[in-house]
């Protein structure tokens, strides 16, 4: 889609956008809400003291890299690390702290799931041109097939993002 801005023509990315909302893919909902085994799964517990520490983001990125290397899927590691960085940062800033990070692999999909201490839905921001923050969920949307959140019974929520996973 082309737009005129101050006499200059700009072109916006017309790629399909990720679906957002509270409904994860059925297999992921069965794991998160039904307690069913999810195939390949890795879980990282954030400690209470580190739930707000910026270093937690780096630890989460290393967990993703190590896990995807073990799963023979290093080709998606960089994108998955970016997605997880944004989800963990949002949990720290807006969700009362990060509780858990789960990586789940199922039938060609990788799900990155971060649980936090809030039931408030994540809201993509519309940042100004010079804003330092507010683009994280747009990045998640651009790198994933779908993302959203669910609020299971209890005080927490899960923010999930699914991306294509290739490899053996």
């Amino acid at each position: 889609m082309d737009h005129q801005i101050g006499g200059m023509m700009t072109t916006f990315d017309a790629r399909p956008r990720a679906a957002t909302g509270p409904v994860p893919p059925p297999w992921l909902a069965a794991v998160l809400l039904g307690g069913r085994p999810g195939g390949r799964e890795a879980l990282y517990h954030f400690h209470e003291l580190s739930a707000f520490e910026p270093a937690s983001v780096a630890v989460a990125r290393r967990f993703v890299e190590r896990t995807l290397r073990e799963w023979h899927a290093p080709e998606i590691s960089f994108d998955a690390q970016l997605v997880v960085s944004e989800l963990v940062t949002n949990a720290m800033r807006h969700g009362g702290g990060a509780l858990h990070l789960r990586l789940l692999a199922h039938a060609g999909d990788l799900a990155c799931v971060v649980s936090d201490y809030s039931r408030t839905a994540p809201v993509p921001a519309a940042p100004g041109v010079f804003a330092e923050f507010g683009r994280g969920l747009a990045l998640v949307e651009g790198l994933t097939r779908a993302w959203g959140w669910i609020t299971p019974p209890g005080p927490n929520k899960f923010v999930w993002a699914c991306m294509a996973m290739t490899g053996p």
Side-chain angles (χ1 to χ4, degrees), residues 1-13:
M1 177 185 311
D2 293 329
H3 291 279
Q4 291 276 131
I5 297 179
M8 294 180 53
M9 184 68 80
T10 62
T11 302
F12 288 83
D13 187 355

Side-chain angles (χ1 to χ4, degrees), residues 16-21 23 141 144-148 160:
R17 307 294 293 197
T20 60
V23 181
E141 187 170 313
T144 62
R145 288 184 177 174
W147 76 274
W160 56 269

